[in-house]
Amino acid sequence: MPDPPKPSAARPEARNPRGFADRRARDLAAERAILAAVSAVYERYGFELLETPAFEFTDALGKFLPDADRPNEGVFALQDDDEQWLALRYDLTAPLARFAAQNWETLAKPFRRYAFGLVWRNEKPGPGRYREFVQCDADTVGSARPEADAEIIAMAAEGLAATGIPEGAAVLKINSRKLLNGLMASAGVAEEGQKLAVLRAVDKLDRLGEDGVRLLLGEGRLDESGAFTKGAGLDGAAAERVLAFTRAGAGRDETLNRLSNVIGGSTAGDEGLAELAGIEAALTSLGVGPDRAVFDPSVVRGLEYYTGAVFEAELLLETKDERGQAVRFGSVGGGGRYDDLVARFTGERTPATGFSFGVSRLAAALRAAGRDRGAEVRGPVVVVAFDQGRMADYFAVASELRAAGIPAEVYLGQSGMKAQMKYADRRFSPAAVIIGEDEFAAGTATVKDLDLGRALSAGVADNAAWRAERPGQVTVPRAELAAAIRKILDPRR
RNA sequence: GCCGCCUUAGCUCAGUUGGUUAGAGCGCCAGAUUGUGGCUCUGGAGGUCCCCCGUUCGAUCCGGGGAGGCGGUACCA
């Protein structure tokens, strides 16, 4: 029983926590289509499905230790009744590293696994950014070969195409953390804090442009709201060296040549160049051309666990929000090589590489671009509850339709027939079944094709005419009901 | 976290230079149409004007504080 009405001050407000969105049937249908398409690609490449729990021990996830001042920073954490800290996973890679370390002896290696599921991040949400969202990952653990990276990139490219993104509307950008380290060496940046500041500045190139990044590499930048961001403190020559590095993107071969000129000679830089050359060769043999995957020295990605190649999937589709404003979705996925993550558990360096699709964001982007499949979700055939004393008969009709494989329901509200028709219309039902006194007496059923009515209603101005017309309505012998409805659902039969 | 803007009906927003019954459009419910979705017309329901404190005879409006939302920026393992 519902509680009696309370004074409004005591009533809870019906609302979502910030960054947590309800997802209705049409949203989920779009997400499911993406997951199915991407999963099929992963399985074709020989990756096996793995599901791990939503919660992990906080220390297994990374740097957030139970005794840190703010255990909830970045993740949603709580203390179990045995006082151990647990946290909701913030991605699918850290749980994979835990799983691989835990089961290493029993796995066929290299271990190739894909996974999808919700992840949670306790941070400020923004447009297209939620605190709960779906990711879909594929990772290879136990191979240091650049071919492993190339294969991950090839799958990401195929996955993008499989979700319905048109040719040329998305591109994978590839870089290497080793190149970035080589760049630091050649620009004379040794101090860790300054390195991070330089990387962060480079990461913003697509958003702030070269001038903004130049400010961030130097003294700092004042944004339009009046907030000041402290810069990396490089001198002019060093800043220009960094910018020259970011400008080296061109064709894949040409990029490697140019990069070699900027940072060749440093150990890390040469290693990175060799790896990218290996990836380039493998990509070409996998049939992934420069139209789908390019080297882009400005790609940085996450700052902590990547050790080599890093990847980012960027959407180039023009998208608009409800108000017609252009929206940049930018990155819809990313990944890279993380050779040290499993070693956190085992002490043994275990090479690994992977890629993660941001499924929720990809779905939102496809919707905004008008590319999502099947926006409307079809409702069931509605059996009109015409005579409240005949509910048993209506349920028998619904059961009969269900047995025939046709989604059906009896209207269970209190409203009259007009409202019931409106209900069926709103559910986007294909048909309504009307059985009243006349039909019961005659042993018939009236079936109304609602799609046909939807189409015809546009041409009828007058209500009396609209009603008299009874568009798409037929009365058939009761025994032929299912067949009549099937004819509406699939006119080709 | 920092900076800025904002908060009035389910939604989008008017409005009250502090005064008694706070409005519109859309949406919702119903009637016109004893058994039929759209259109049209008519009627109805729906609001502690974000919260608290202060000033005032009187605050949705003024002052202070708080919360929430939006945007930018930072962070994003």
Side-chain angles (χ1 to χ4, degrees), chain A residues 12-290:
Chain A
E13 190 181 344
R15 56 180 187 150
N16 291 80
R18 171 158 54 155
F20 288 85
D22 297 314
R23 293 143 71 221
R24 298 202 53 181
R26 59 176 174 275
D27 309 314
L28 293 169
E31 275 192 15
R32 227 146 63 166
I34 292 172
L35 282 177
V38 172
S39 296
V41 171
Y42 289 162
E43 289 194 7
R44 218 178 303 139
Y45 273 80
F47 284 66
E48 77 171 55
L49 183 58
L50 172 71
E51 191 164 297
T52 60
F55 273 106
E56 294 280 345
F57 284 112
T58 302
D59 61 355
L61 287 183
K63 66 189 178 189
F64 291 94
L65 301 171
D67 58 354
D69 288 343
R70 299 200 286 179
N72 233 343
E73 183 74 6
V75 300
F76 293 96
L78 58 85
Q79 216 168 358
D80 206 353
D81 54 11
D82 59 5
E83 311 227 317
Q84 302 198 74
W85 280 94
L86 306 178
L88 286 171
R89 64 187 181 205
Y90 57 81
D91 70 8
L92 298 174
T93 307
L96 168 64
R98 189 226 86 215
F99 175 88
Q102 197 174 330
N103 298 281
W104 194 242
E105 304 304 326
T106 70
L107 294 173
K109 292 161 283 268
F111 180 51
R112 296 151 75 81
R113 162 260 44 172
Y114 79 97
F116 56 83
L118 287 168
V119 301
W120 296 267
R121 294 189 186 181
N122 190 6
E123 52 193 32
K124 183 184 156 184
R129 269 181 63 169
Y130 300 95
R131 296 207 288 175
E132 172 182 74
F133 55 97
V134 175
Q135 289 195 329
C136 185
D137 285 33
D139 295 79
T140 299
V141 184
S143 173
R145 308 182 66 109
E147 287 84 354
D149 297 300
E151 193 179 55
I152 293 284
I153 293 163
M155 286 196 300
E158 271 188 47
L160 283 170
T163 61
I165 292 173
E167 196 97 354
V171 68
L172 281 150
K173 297 176 166 179
I174 306 159
N175 194 15
S176 170
R177 293 300 305 276
K178 289 178 182 170
L179 290 184
L180 293 164
N181 288 337
L183 169 68
M184 296 302 166
S186 80
V189 180
E191 196 262 318
E192 203 55 37
Q194 194 176 30
K195 271 190 190 174
L196 288 180
V198 171
L199 290 179
R200 286 175 191 147
V202 170
D203 196 31
K204 291 175 182 58
L205 190 66
D206 57 339
R207 201 149 40 83
L208 301 180
E210 208 167 277
D211 291 339
V213 172
R214 188 177 282 113
L215 290 172
L216 282 176
L217 289 171
E219 290 306 307
R221 175 175 173 272
L222 194 67
D223 71 47
E224 55 211 71
S225 75
F228 183 74
T229 308
K230 196 168 178 300
L234 295 187
D235 63 39
E240 290 312 317
R241 205 178 170 85
V242 170
L243 287 171
F245 171 83
T246 66
R247 276 195 292 261
R252 281 195 214 139
D253 290 335
E254 180 59 22
T255 305
L256 291 179
N257 285 335
R258 291 195 200 170
L259 286 173
S260 167
N261 292 334
V262 181
I263 54 155
S266 74
T267 317
D270 285 343
E271 270 183 39
L273 286 170
E275 281 180 8
L276 286 191
I279 290 174
E280 144 66 14
L283 278 180
T284 300
S285 65
L286 282 165
V288 179

Side-chain angles (χ1 to χ4, degrees), chain A residues 386-387 390 394 434-446 470 473 475-476 478:
Chain A
F386 187 90
D387 177 349
R390 295 278 207 160
Y394 298 134
I434 303 164
I435 308 178
E437 288 165 40
D438 300 347
E439 286 86 354
F440 277 121
T444 58
T446 296
R470 301 273 152 100
Q473 192 164 317
T475 298
V476 299
R478 179 68 186 74

Side-chain angles (χ1 to χ4, degrees), chain A residues 379-437:
Chain A
V381 170
V382 171
V383 178
V384 173
F386 187 90
D387 177 349
Q388 299 294 326
R390 295 278 207 160
M391 291 303 280
D393 295 291
Y394 298 134
F395 276 111
V397 169
S399 293
E400 182 188 325
L401 294 178
R402 288 167 187 156
I406 298 166
E409 71 174 44
V410 180
Y411 175 79
L412 292 182
Q414 303 293 330
S415 300
M417 177 156 185
K418 185 182 168 82
Q420 297 191 39
M421 294 305 298
K422 204 168 170 177
Y423 171 82
D425 190 39
R426 278 197 180 178
R427 290 293 304 275
F428 201 40
S429 295
V433 175
I434 303 164
I435 308 178
E437 288 165 40

